[in-house]
Amino acid sequence: MTAAERTESGSSEGRLATTLETIDSQRAALYAVLLGLIAFYLSPLWGGLTTAFKTQTGFVQTTPLAPPTPEWFTLEPWELAFATMQGGLVNSLLFVVPATILSALLGSLAAYGLTKLSWRGQIGILVLFLAGVFLPYQSVLVPLRQFWSAVDLAGLLAFAPFLAERADLIELTVTHTAYGIPICTILFRSYYKTLDDEMIEAAKIDGASAFGIYKRIILPLSMPMFAVTLIYQFTQVWNDLLFALVLVTSRSNYVVTQSLNELQGSMAQEYNIQMAGAFIAALPTILIYVVFGRQFAKGITGAS
Amino acid sequence: MATLTLENVTKRFADGDDEIVAVDDVSIEIDDGEFLVLVGPSGCGKSTTLRMVAGLETISEGAIAIDDEIINDVPAQRRDIAMVFQSYALYPHMTVRENMRFGLEESTDLDTETMDGSVERTAELLEIEELLDRKPGELSGGQQQRVALGRAIVRDPSVFLMDEPLSNLDAKLRAGMRMELQRLQNDLDVTTVYVTHDQTEAMTMGDRIAILDGGKLQQVATPLECYHRPRNLFVAGFIGEPSMNFFDATLEGDELVLEGTELSYPLSAPIREELEGETELVLGVRPEDVKILDEATDDHAFPVTVDVVEPMGNENNLLATFEGSELSINAIVDGMRHVQADERYAARLPESAIHLFDRSSGRALHNRRIDDEEKLLETRV
């Protein structure tokens, strides 16, 4: 902790203590601890944010947590970072959105098949899905690269030049979809197990087919869980660098995490630009959370 | 409109390496338009039987037929049946109208107008028109129950199945719905199988009742026949509230000696002849047939001490103990009659009202006498 922070949190503790003295000293202590924790967790974020608004000399001469003074205040890092990352942002959106939606949708279908339909060998399949959740990224890098080398996607898509150029991104879409299905399946499965079996049976007796039941009953009731998986998968896929490093070869297909990496200067460390870039890269995941947050809360508490 | 036939229907479940027979060789024929109640204690196989008819469980052995067409291999979707579930099983994301229309949309090719027409007519019948645009979550239990019924009725199926549809309602509402369901079933005249564990529902609602225990069919008969002519000990004990009194008794000469007591109950010759030589018996008598007298006047009456009096208003339920023994007996006396707890009385078991069962097999050897048998037992509710 820096000196500045210590005095800051100290004074707010003092204020709290005086206002809450009459109520309960234990409660005051609790709030003091909580405030301390908030300061502890937010200080890196705060430091990053202040740095992103400082000039090169500014962040060298001040402590990271000190707010930018007018003399060293600038928006330039944001402009520079955005200019470099523009392409990466677009590329990322191009593959993250379909990969997220596909893995959620396929995961939900698989979970439906594993909970509400009866057929032989379910346990075996479920075990495979479970194993898929625990498969580390690193362990599949080599076979993954070999697989996509064997499947010449760009060649296969030669009839449509636009798609052929984006073959790297399509490979990423497929890979992340496949990698995301197990966790989505497990999440949806736990949710579907709570759905009333009698309701499914009622639909069956009402004449609905297995897919009809999925489309008209299960899918509309899955929205809270879709919010959970969409947020989780979007964040996961958006933040991934490893698969992109292995699969994306052409510079024009660089995704956001790769372009963020590009901000790292070779001579001097331009922390202000890197920090601005980090915030730009994180923005879409924050937006997704804001959009689906309400549904997300419903999904994880199991309310429908 | 259809008849429903169950022929030697058996259901076995695998339980690890063991096999559980949930339904054992059940055969019932249900007439067109009949209201059959399947009743029994929990785990007796009644719900499994219903689910086999619905197509939600496979049939291990035997056959189920609607109008002589065997439906064993017809999937639930195409059986032309409708079912009301205990939990109502409404689709929570759909309005009442959509809930009721769902079955029509999935199982028929009707146009939207015809479907909406049927939904509205059914809603009127059930007096839920004003709920059509609400969602199930906004309805009370009783209203949800009506919607669940409406969803079944609107399909106009050949067979209705109901799985304890009233058990989630409070007692008052349940009594009302019991009557209404009967009225509806009468008006619609659709063959109905109704599952319940509640013997009151079984007695009051069914044209006939089928009593199951341990997966085996115990008796299929009209409610009053089950009540007055139980085929075995189980039926005698299950039907009737409070339950029939049972006493282990041994036939010695022309008297029944009640086990564990000195009491002996003289048995007339015609009844003795019905016993097929069995001597290890169970004597049964319904509480309402037990007469509570001030003192023993004949040899079918025995001195008792009244332990508990439960005033119900219209009647008093008594629990009394035979003098000189631990044996107790339930009796019902008129509500206007004053009976004092801890006082001595006499309990008279009229010979015309007693049932006798073979103790080892439980089979009924003698049932009570009914004066106007034909009139009483042939009446269908």
Side-chain angles (χ1 to χ4, degrees), chain B residues 175-248:
Chain B
M177 273 314 274
R178 220 159 54 198
M179 299 253 182
E180 192 162 338
L181 260 179
Q182 286 181 78
R183 179 180 64 84
L184 272 172
Q185 201 270 343
N186 246 329
D187 292 352
L188 299 168
D189 204 24
V190 177
T191 312
T192 303
V193 183
Y194 183 105
V195 161
T196 181
H197 64 270
D198 179 3
Q199 65 91 28
T200 314
E201 277 176 31
M203 283 297 288
T204 53
M205 296 177 81
D207 290 329
R208 281 191 305 162
I209 56 186
I211 299 153
L212 280 167
D213 183 43
K216 288 201 173 76
L217 197 57
Q218 306 293 321
Q219 186 164 6
V220 188
T222 62
L224 288 181
E225 198 177 338
C226 290
Y227 188 80
H228 293 301
R229 297 227 166 288
R231 243 175 53 189
N232 58 36
L233 211 50
F234 178 81
V235 175
F238 190 78
I239 298 291
E241 174 69 39
S243 298
M244 190 185 276
N245 293 294
F246 293 119
F247 308 103
D248 286 351

Side-chain angles (χ1 to χ4, degrees), chain A residues 195-210 212-213 215-221 304, chain B residues 51 54 56 76-77 81-83 85-94 99 102-103 105-107 151 155:
Chain A
L195 290 184
D196 183 12
D197 279 333
E198 287 195 343
M199 182 177 66
I200 311 295
E201 290 171 351
K204 211 187 266 182
I205 290 175
D206 266 347
S209 62
I213 293 173
K215 198 178 71 177
R216 299 197 55 192
I217 310 280
I218 303 282
L219 199 58
L221 289 175
S304 53
Chain B
R51 290 170 59 82
L56 300 171
Q77 282 91 341
I81 45 172
M83 183 155 166
F85 291 85
Q86 184 177 359
S87 69
Y88 314 141
L90 300 175
Y91 315 127
H93 57 297
M94 297 184 190
N99 262 285
F102 184 85
E105 288 168 358
E106 292 293 335
S107 64
R151 191 173 64 178
R155 294 263 318 278

Side-chain angles (χ1 to χ4, degrees), chain A residues 224 226-228 230-231 287-297:
Chain A
F226 263 103
V228 173
L230 287 181
I231 290 179
L287 278 179
I288 288 284
Y289 193 88
V290 171
V291 172
F292 292 112
R294 246 163 110 87
Q295 293 282 323
F296 180 82

Side-chain angles (χ1 to χ4, degrees), chain A residues 229-276:
Chain A
T229 47
L230 287 181
I231 290 179
Y232 178 81
Q233 266 305 98
F234 188 91
T235 315
Q236 205 72 4
V237 178
W238 181 270
N239 288 341
D240 170 67
L241 174 63
L242 207 50
F243 282 170
L245 282 177
V246 172
L247 295 181
V248 178
T249 44
S250 98
R251 209 176 186 78
S252 63
N253 282 333
Y254 266 23
V255 301
V256 71
T257 42
Q258 285 172 301
S259 58
L260 181 61
N261 200 36
E262 296 242 290
L263 294 178
Q264 201 165 343
S266 51
M267 305 298 280
Q269 287 295 354
E270 298 173 294
Y271 286 123
N272 51 354
I273 301 182
Q274 284 178 36
M275 287 305 150

Side-chain angles (χ1 to χ4, degrees), chain A:
Chain A
M1 262 206 248
T2 62
E5 197 192 356
R6 224 174 287 133
T7 48
E8 198 179 79
S9 61
S11 69
S12 57
E13 270 168 38
R15 239 180 297 136
L16 257 173
T18 48
T19 37
L20 296 180
E21 211 169 21
T22 49
I23 305 169
D24 192 345
S25 61
Q26 232 178 353
R27 208 158 180 78
L30 174 70
Y31 281 124
V33 170
L34 288 178
L35 274 174
L37 281 174
I38 290 173
F40 180 75
Y41 279 109
L42 286 185
S43 58
L45 209 61
W46 171 251
L49 204 60
T50 54
T51 307
F53 285 103
K54 288 174 191 170
T55 60
Q56 184 81 9
T57 39
F59 80 76
V60 173
Q61 298 193 2
T62 58
T63 63
L65 290 173
T69 53
E71 108 189 71
W72 287 320
F73 181 85
T74 173
L75 288 176
E76 207 181 355
W78 293 86
E79 286 158 16
L80 282 170
F82 186 71
T84 315
M85 295 171 70
Q86 223 169 352
L89 280 169
V90 174
N91 288 344
S92 273
L93 277 179
L94 279 179
F95 89 90
V96 174
V97 172
T100 305
I101 293 173
L102 275 175
S103 52
L105 208 57
L106 293 174
S108 128
L109 259 175
Y112 168 59
L114 286 170
T115 48
K116 299 295 178 195
L117 301 180
S118 61
W119 41 280
R120 270 172 203 282
Q122 282 198 18
I123 297 293
I125 302 290
L126 179 65
V127 168
L128 286 180
F129 274 108
L130 267 173
V133 177
F134 298 107
L135 213 57
Y137 275 36
Q138 293 80 351
S139 68
V140 298
L141 288 181
V142 174
L144 186 67
R145 184 59 261 171
Q146 284 171 336
F147 173 80
W148 284 119
S149 302
V151 181
D152 176 19
L153 198 62
L156 289 173
L157 293 171
F159 63 90
F162 172 76
L163 288 177
E165 278 169 30
R166 299 283 172 188
D168 289 350
L169 295 182
I170 297 173
E171 287 173 10
L172 271 182
T173 309
V174 174
T175 308
H176 276 295
T177 302
Y179 222 88
I181 287 174
I183 183 69
C184 290
T185 305
I186 301 303
L187 284 171
F188 275 111
R189 183 173 176 273
S190 65
Y191 181 65
Y192 290 164
K193 279 173 86 87
T194 65
L195 290 184
D196 183 12
D197 279 333
E198 287 195 343
M199 182 177 66
I200 311 295
E201 290 171 351
K204 211 187 266 182
I205 290 175
D206 266 347
S209 62
F211 187 71
I213 293 173
Y214 175 75
K215 198 178 71 177
R216 299 197 55 192
I217 310 280
I218 303 282
L219 199 58
L221 289 175
S222 303
M223 285 313 146
M225 210 16 97
F226 263 103
V228 173
T229 47
L230 287 181
I231 290 179
Y232 178 81
Q233 266 305 98
F234 188 91
T235 315
Q236 205 72 4
V237 178
W238 181 270
N239 288 341
D240 170 67
L241 174 63
L242 207 50
F243 282 170
L245 282 177
V246 172
L247 295 181
V248 178
T249 44
S250 98
R251 209 176 186 78
S252 63
N253 282 333
Y254 266 23
V255 301
V256 71
T257 42
Q258 285 172 301
S259 58
L260 181 61
N261 200 36
E262 296 242 290
L263 294 178
Q264 201 165 343
S266 51
M267 305 298 280
Q269 287 295 354
E270 298 173 294
Y271 286 123
N272 51 354
I273 301 182
Q274 284 178 36
M275 287 305 150
F279 279 105
I280 292 173
L283 213 56
T285 53
I286 295 170
L287 278 179
I288 288 284
Y289 193 88
V290 171
V291 172
F292 292 112
R294 246 163 110 87
Q295 293 282 323
F296 180 82
K298 270 194 200 170
I300 52 175
T301 54
S304 53

